[in-house]
Amino acid sequence: MGMSSFAEGQSTRHASKEVGVMAKDSKADKAEGAIDKAAGKLKEGVGKATDNHHTEAEGKAQQAKGHGKSARGETKDALKDRK
């Protein structure tokens, strides 16, 4: 068992993760997006209230992540409707 066996195992695990991501339906993506947007908004508010710029920036980043997930769900819906 050399390094190649370890690397092969890593790539196999990574590939299975990718399949799981693609298998999610649009509702799950939109729900996760809404959760990230709400949590990010809360985190941003806490950062502002405590004058913690790092926490505020993390909140804004989490909101952006949520917008991306929601957009992915909307895109899946649009592609599904085209079929």
Side-chain angles (χ1 to χ4, degrees):
M1 259 197 210
M3 288 291 269
S4 63
S5 296
F6 176 75
E8 288 171 14
Q10 291 295 342
S11 63
T12 303
R13 270 186 269 164
H14 181 66
S16 65
K17 274 186 180 178
E18 292 300 317
V19 171
V21 169
M22 297 302 290
K24 257 191 240 175
D25 68 345
S26 61
K27 288 180 185 177
D29 286 328
K30 289 189 274 186
E32 286 180 16
I35 290 167
D36 275 335
K37 287 188 278 188
K41 192 72 169 173
L42 180 64
K43 192 180 284 188
E44 179 186 4
V46 168
K48 283 181 180 179
T50 59
D51 199 32
N52 184 326
H53 300 291
H54 180 74
T55 301
E56 185 178 347
E58 282 181 342
K60 288 180 181 182
Q62 190 169 3
Q63 287 177 70
K65 180 180 172 183
H67 285 291
K69 286 181 181 180
S70 294
R72 181 173 52 200
E74 294 294 334
T75 301
K76 285 180 181 179
D77 280 345
L79 292 174
K80 191 179 348 174
D81 292 341
R82 292 184 75 192
K83 289 183 181 180

